[in-house]
Amino acid sequence: MWPLPETTGEMHDALFVDGICISRKLVVLIAATKEHVVSRHLAESECSASWAALVMRVAPPAMVATDGGAGFKKAARAIWPDTRIQRCLAHVKRQVVRKTTLNPQLDCERELLKIAKALPKVKDADAAARWLGDYETWCSRWERFLRELTLKDGRKQYAHERLRSARHSLNGLVREGVLFTFVEM
């Protein structure tokens, strides 16, 4: 075990948090600025109790960027209730890529992939508004397509479940207001 960083009480406008898996039962949870690690914690998993152990040693920042794990979200709500959350846009893009693949076959998938790839390039309020407009246009354009049903084993189910899942995820992030927190701040 290496020594933990001392708790300084230093305030930060923004922190970045993430977990690095070392092995199946060991993860290093890290809170950092762009310049240095503020604190770290060794844990068996990224559960809320593990994140709470890290978060309790760090002064609440104005904003924290995260990959969106449920454990961190729960710990942050309890310990840093006034801290604004910013979802890592690269992680959000990867989440969509997992649903569409990098070589989508359908126009609907290609359009959503293009929109997702634009996320990490958003740097200001105008670009955020354009991205939200493009995404809303995509949702409207493909609404009927995404409601199409098919029969599988005699039961009706949505024909484009992976795309519906990607849309559902993005809708949740838009609704929570965590995609462009950095622009507002």
Side-chain angles (χ1 to χ4, degrees):
M1 298 290 202
W2 68 84
L4 293 172
E6 289 185 31
T7 302
T8 64
E10 182 181 3
M11 301 291 288
H12 302 279
D13 287 333
L15 287 177
F16 304 90
V17 298
D18 205 356
I20 301 170
C21 290
I22 305 298
S23 69
R24 192 169 156 257
K25 286 284 193 174
L26 183 63
V27 63
V28 180
L29 306 179
I30 297 173
T33 64
K34 285 185 176 181
E35 292 80 32
H36 66 281
V37 172
V38 174
S39 190
R40 64 182 175 267
H41 179 73
L42 291 174
E44 289 183 5
S45 70
E46 291 193 54
C47 68
S48 61
S50 297
W51 277 112
L54 172 78
V55 168
M56 288 187 335
R57 295 196 320 264
V58 178
M63 181 184 76
V64 63
T66 176
D67 62 7
F72 176 77
K73 187 176 181 179
K74 184 176 178 183
R77 262 196 320 255
I79 299 166
W80 292 344
D82 297 326
T83 295
R84 300 282 311 273
I85 302 292
Q86 167 65 52
R87 279 296 301 276
C88 172
L89 299 180
H91 278 90
V92 174
K93 179 188 95 173
R94 277 187 239 140
Q95 194 173 348
V96 173
V97 168
R98 279 194 302 274
K99 303 293 184 181
T100 62
T101 76
L102 283 172
N103 189 23
Q105 302 303 306
L106 303 172
D107 289 342
C108 178
E109 294 171 317
R110 282 192 286 274
E111 287 179 24
L112 184 59
L113 179 60
K114 182 179 176 183
I115 290 167
K117 283 183 172 181
L119 260 174
K121 298 173 188 162
V122 172
K123 303 293 183 206
D124 58 32
D126 290 339
R130 275 191 306 278
W131 188 92
L132 288 167
D134 290 346
Y135 176 64
E136 186 176 317
T137 299
W138 179 88
C139 288
S140 296
R141 178 177 178 181
W142 297 102
E143 176 63 32
R144 284 186 60 201
F145 178 78
L146 292 175
R147 280 192 272 133
E148 289 179 0
L149 297 170
T150 188
L151 284 176
K152 183 175 181 180
D153 299 326
R155 298 182 62 164
K156 286 183 183 179
Q157 68 179 37
Y158 288 107
H160 310 288
E161 193 54 48
R162 292 173 61 85
L163 273 172
R164 290 177 60 82
S165 175
R167 181 186 62 178
H168 178 75
S169 175
L170 288 171
N171 285 348
L173 297 173
V174 169
R175 191 172 38 256
E176 290 175 37
V178 296
L179 280 178
F180 305 117
T181 306
F182 70 95
V183 170
E184 298 167 20
M185 299 189 76

